[in-house]
Amino acid sequence: MENENNEEIKDQDINEDYSEGGVSQWFRDNLRIIISVLIVVIIAGGIYSYSKRSEAPATTSQTQQDNNLGNLAGGDNNQNQNDQNAASGDQNKAATDQGNAAQNQNQQKAQPSSQTSSVATSQETEKSFVETAARGDSATRLARRALANYLEKNPDSALTPEHKIFIEDYLVKNSGYKGRVTVGSSVEFQKDLIQKAIAQSKNLSAGQLKNLHKYAVQVPSLS
C-alpha cells in the first residue's frame, strides 16, 4: 500500500515536471511568432493613433475652409448689396440732376419772356393804343404814354400841361382796366376815348385849370 502511494506521488511529480517543461518548451518554440505578433500589434496601434491625429486637423482644416467660404459668400453678398445701394444712389442722383436740368430749362425759357415784359412797349391798332408796363410804371404813366402817341399823330397846340393832367386822369378812370398795374401789364386805350377826354378838357373852367396847375408842374415832360 505504501508503495502504491509513493508511485502516485512520483507520477504527480513527473506530470508537474513535464507540464512545466512543456510550457517552457512551447514558449521557446513559439517565441519568434509571439514577438512578430507583438510587433504587428504595436505597428497597427501606431498607425491607428497617427491616423486619428491626422484626421482631427483635417476636420479642423475643412471646418476653417467652410467658414472662409461662408465669409467670402457673405462678403460677396455685402458687396452686391453695396453695389445695389450705389446703383440706387446713382439713379436717384440722375433723377435729381434731370429734375434740376428741367427746372433750369424752364427758368431759361421763362427768362426771355420776363425780360421782354420788363420793357415798356406801345402798340397801335386801328382803334386803340395798347401800352405795356415796365418797372416803375403806373396806370397814369401808361395813359400819359398813350396820349403822347396820339398827339404825335394828331397834334393839338391848344392843350396845356393842365389839360393833359385832366386827360390822363380821365383815361385811367374810363379805360376799363381793373386791378394793379405790374411789370408786363397791358392796358388798352381806345382812340375815341382819347378824343373824348381832349374835348372834355377844353370845357374846363379857369379855376379848374388853376387847381390842376400844382399837379402839372410836377411832370415837366408835359410842357
Side-chain angles (χ1 to χ4, degrees):
M1 188 70 176
E2 185 177 355
N3 291 330
E4 292 178 359
N5 291 332
N6 291 332
E7 288 178 0
E8 290 178 0
I9 294 171
K10 183 178 180 180
D11 291 337
Q12 290 177 358
D13 294 337
I14 291 171
N15 291 331
E16 290 176 1
D17 292 339
Y18 176 78
S19 297
E20 293 177 358
V23 172
S24 298
Q25 185 64 36
W26 184 85
F27 272 109
R28 285 194 297 271
D29 293 340
N30 296 285
L31 181 60
R32 290 183 179 180
I33 297 174
I34 294 171
I35 292 173
S36 298
V37 171
L38 290 175
I39 291 173
V40 171
V41 170
I42 292 171
I43 292 173
I47 293 173
Y48 178 78
S49 177
Y50 178 78
S51 65
K52 285 294 184 181
R53 287 197 302 271
S54 300
E55 190 176 307
T59 303
T60 303
S61 177
Q62 182 64 35
T63 302
Q64 184 65 33
Q65 185 177 5
D66 293 341
N67 291 336
N68 291 337
L69 291 175
N71 292 333
L72 289 175
D76 291 339
N77 291 334
N78 292 334
Q79 183 63 36
N80 291 335
Q81 184 64 35
N82 291 335
D83 292 342
Q84 291 176 357
N85 292 337
S88 178
D90 292 339
Q91 291 176 354
N92 291 336
K93 185 177 183 300
T96 301
D97 292 341
Q98 290 177 354
N100 292 336
Q103 184 176 1
N104 291 335
Q105 289 178 354
N106 292 335
Q107 290 177 350
Q108 291 175 357
K109 289 180 180 178
Q111 187 174 3
S113 175
S114 177
Q115 290 178 346
T116 300
S117 63
S118 65
V119 178
T121 60
S122 297
Q123 181 181 1
E124 182 181 4
T125 67
E126 183 181 356
K127 295 183 178 181
S128 66
F129 289 95
V130 180
E131 306 296 332
T132 301
R135 185 180 300 277
D137 278 344
S138 62
T140 300
R141 288 188 178 184
L142 296 182
R144 184 177 303 153
R145 194 151 59 233
L147 175 61
N149 290 331
Y150 179 85
L151 292 177
E152 184 178 357
K153 295 183 177 182
N154 302 279
D156 190 339
S157 59
L159 296 178
T160 64
E162 290 75 17
H163 287 106
K164 294 176 181 179
I165 289 293
F166 173 84
I167 295 169
E168 292 174 359
D169 184 64
Y170 186 92
L171 292 177
V172 169
K173 292 179 179 179
N174 296 278
S175 66
Y177 183 83
K178 304 297 182 182
R180 181 167 170 259
V181 173
T182 59
V183 175
S185 298
S186 294
V187 180
E188 184 176 15
F189 299 94
Q190 299 294 329
K191 291 180 179 179
D192 59 354
L193 180 65
I194 298 175
Q195 293 172 355
K196 185 177 181 179
I198 292 174
Q200 291 285 339
S201 69
K202 291 179 178 180
N203 294 327
L204 294 175
S205 65
Q208 290 174 321
L209 292 173
K210 185 177 179 180
N211 289 334
L212 292 171
H213 178 71
K214 58 183 178 183
Y215 300 107
V217 294
Q218 297 178 14
V219 187
S221 62
L222 295 179
S223 301

